[in-house]
Amino acid sequence: MKNSLSFLLSILTLVAFSQNIKIPVDTMVVTTHNTTIKGVNFSYTATTGTQPVWNKKGEPTATLYYTYYERNGIKDRANRPLIISFNGGPGSASVWMHIAYTGPKILKIDDEGYPVQPYGIKSNPNSILDVADIVFVNPVNTGYSRMVENKEGELSEREVFFGINADIKYLAEWINTFVSRKNRWESPKYIIGESYGGTRVMGLANELQSNQWMFLNGVILVSPADYKQYSTGQPLYSALNLPYYTAAAWYQKVLPKNLQQQDLLDILPASEDYAINTLMPALAKGGFITESEKAQVAQKMAYFSGLSELAILQNNLVIPTSFFWKELLRNKTGQTIGRLDSRYLGMDKTEAGSSPDSNPELTSWMHSFTPAINYYIREHLNFKTDIKYNMFGDVHPWDRRNDNTRDDLRKAMAGNPYLKVLVQSGYYDGATTYFGAKYTMWQIDPSGKLKGRFTFKGYRSGHMMYLRNDDLISANDDLREFIKNSLSKGKSAKY
């Protein structure tokens, strides 16, 4: 008898461990918490889990992992704003803004954003949960989100999910289901996207409005990536980088003395003006620029960038960002500076070369974000699975064709008088530069008729400006102000 029981136990154990690891297609876990934001204590409900994506036959093709926060005690939920939050990549989980910016919990990091041990989380006294409910959405293959097998055990073709327009299409459908399930159709709605999420939410604004009949009050672009800009041609793109070079060089204290002794915001306008009105036309001339003009431009670029005239001339006035990160401190400390946040310093194997070995800021962030999100989801939100949480997931090849997201946002704004746009950027972001974000904002509406509905805010940090405590406070306050100013307040939606 004893041997039979042992044998049975062995079989059951073998079966248990031979099962494939799968995420539940449709599930949720609900927990209740307390927090204090802006000095006011209140309770909130966190709902985390998965919600399916369906094909036209009504069959699940994927399931998206999300976390939804609602402030408790709200009697009039119809007038309570709902924020739908995405990060970017493409292929990035919605972790960065979740546990470092707008959510009720944030990383344990120092005031400038550097990791500290023991890793973990703490309450976020600046979260916008006091004024809006928030859902953080993870696109397919990010976080715990995954494709789902059909009855034949097959997965959908990758192009169903992985491309600018495919991504927008299925996420809009998912949002419709979420809003219906949570009974939030009456609420003022906002979408916020960071980095590639900027491209995503520009497109979503029109897709939601045109095909889901869901009208938004606001679109928020955080350090937005604009692929339309990156493919416009080197003279334009290169000139737009100069004001970022000025900001990074100012932070690293390598600008000429008369610039260095001024405040950052006092010197950026001159760099911006030079980039648009002098550098851009000069670069457009290519190799047919005169030697005297080329020398004058190199001298002024050196003045605004902290690089040597020789290095600029050797690059024919076109300075790749990767070269800038490697070159700026090469002959000073021998260190590199960060791509996403140029306050961070790196150490390469050799000081020679044209680009850094790695991104010191991203490595630093992985220190604190990865352990924190895994701990937080399991121990605080009580969602437990053996599926790996993908900080970055496999979403490539990513189809970038037919990118009309700028015009999609314009169309949505033109058709919806309520819709306003907020752009937030860090001055030390070298990947999606603050001046590039301004340029995108300028190009969305060539007529200029909508420009009064755009707001730009800059911060003295990088891509994730909220990692710096002073900017965490001001950026969340800017979100509060934007939400307040974009509510209808009983006014009709008409021109």
Side-chain angles (χ1 to χ4, degrees), residues 134-411:
I134 319 165
V135 57
F136 296 92
V137 186
N138 295 270
V140 173
N141 278 5
T142 72
Y144 296 131
S145 299
R146 298 293 189 272
M147 287 191 276
V148 173
E149 294 177 353
N150 62 19
K151 295 174 183 177
E152 287 73 41
E154 300 170 335
L155 297 175
S156 296
E157 297 296 327
R158 293 176 68 85
E159 56 261 30
V160 173
F161 302 108
F162 305 138
I164 288 176
N165 295 301
D167 176 78
I168 289 165
K169 196 79 176 174
Y170 87 82
L171 287 174
E173 293 280 352
W174 189 95
I175 291 170
N176 186 310
T177 302
F178 178 85
V179 168
S180 295
R181 285 187 174 191
K182 303 305 180 185
N183 194 25
R184 298 306 299 267
W185 274 100
E186 294 177 291
S187 302
K189 299 171 194 68
Y190 299 79
I191 50 177
I192 181 172
E194 180 179 77
S195 197
Y196 179 79
T199 293
R200 175 178 285 139
V201 298
M202 284 195 293
L204 271 171
N206 188 55
E207 181 67 22
L208 287 169
Q209 189 167 304
S210 299
N211 293 312
Q212 304 299 328
W213 311 286
M214 184 182 295
F215 288 73
L216 304 171
N217 283 66
V219 172
I220 302 154
L221 311 177
V222 180
S223 305
D226 179 2
Y227 287 91
K228 203 83 170 176
Q229 181 187 130
Y230 306 150
S231 62
T232 48
Q234 193 58 45
L236 171 63
Y237 181 50
S238 181
L240 291 174
N241 287 331
L242 183 64
Y244 151 69
Y245 293 158
T246 303
W250 181 88
Y251 182 84
Q252 298 296 347
K253 297 181 171 56
V254 292
L255 286 178
K257 186 176 179 181
N258 64 323
L259 287 180
Q260 196 65 56
Q261 64 188 6
Q262 297 181 61
D263 183 69
L264 175 65
L265 300 188
D266 292 331
I267 65 174
L268 288 180
S271 181
E272 293 178 10
D273 179 76
Y274 186 79
I276 290 288
N277 294 311
T278 304
L279 180 56
M280 203 174 286
L283 293 180
K285 297 175 184 178
F288 284 75
I289 190 173
T290 66
E291 288 301 314
S292 62
E293 185 181 2
K294 189 174 186 179
Q296 289 174 0
V297 170
Q299 183 182 44
K300 201 68 172 180
M301 286 181 70
Y303 176 73
F304 279 124
S305 70
L307 300 180
S308 69
E309 291 180 44
L310 177 62
I312 292 168
L313 288 169
Q314 287 173 335
N315 280 276
N316 298 322
L317 307 181
V318 177
I319 305 299
T321 49
S322 56
F323 177 78
F324 178 77
W325 304 324
K326 182 79 173 182
E327 176 72 14
L328 185 65
L329 301 179
R330 193 196 305 263
N331 297 320
K332 297 168 180 70
T333 65
Q335 294 168 297
T336 62
I337 61 172
R339 168 179 175 261
L340 293 160
D341 192 329
S342 294
R343 298 176 302 151
Y344 289 73
L345 300 175
M347 293 181 135
D348 281 0
K349 184 176 181 180
T350 65
E351 292 179 9
S354 60
S355 62
D357 294 346
S358 61
N359 298 325
E361 76 294 341
L362 191 57
T363 303
S364 174
W365 296 341
M366 288 300 182
H367 265 281
S368 46
F369 275 96
T370 310
I373 192 64
N374 281 278
Y375 165 77
Y376 175 56
I377 289 172
R378 294 182 68 87
E379 302 305 323
H380 285 250
L381 301 181
N382 205 28
F383 187 90
K384 297 181 180 179
T385 176
D386 288 334
I387 292 284
K388 182 176 70 171
Y389 186 94
N390 284 339
M391 301 291 285
F392 296 100
D394 177 17
V395 301
H396 296 287
W398 189 266
D399 187 354
R400 297 183 183 178
R401 292 174 298 176
N402 302 316
D403 177 7
N404 298 307
T405 51
R406 271 190 207 162
D407 198 51
D408 286 340
L409 180 54
R410 183 200 59 79
K411 287 178 182 177

Side-chain angles (χ1 to χ4, degrees), residues 202 205-206 209 217 219 405-423 440-456 482 494-495:
M202 284 195 293
N206 188 55
Q209 189 167 304
N217 283 66
V219 172
T405 51
R406 271 190 207 162
D407 198 51
D408 286 340
L409 180 54
R410 183 200 59 79
K411 287 178 182 177
M413 294 179 74
N416 178 6
Y418 282 156
L419 183 54
K420 295 183 178 180
V421 177
L422 171 64
V423 181
T440 295
M441 183 176 70
W442 297 336
Q443 299 305 311
I444 289 170
D445 173 39
S447 76
K449 293 186 176 79
L450 304 175
K451 64 183 177 183
R453 288 153 63 187
F454 286 87
T455 302
F456 177 86
F482 176 71
K494 65 178 181 178
Y495 287 111

Side-chain angles (χ1 to χ4, degrees), residues 74-82 130-133 183-190 217 418 483-484 487-490:
I74 301 297
K75 295 179 181 178
D76 184 10
R77 193 71 64 177
N79 284 313
R80 172 89 170 158
L82 173 66
D130 60 334
V131 299
D133 297 332
N183 194 25
R184 298 306 299 267
W185 274 100
E186 294 177 291
S187 302
K189 299 171 194 68
Y190 299 79
N217 283 66
Y418 282 156
I483 292 168
K484 176 184 174 183
L487 294 173
S488 65
K489 300 181 180 70

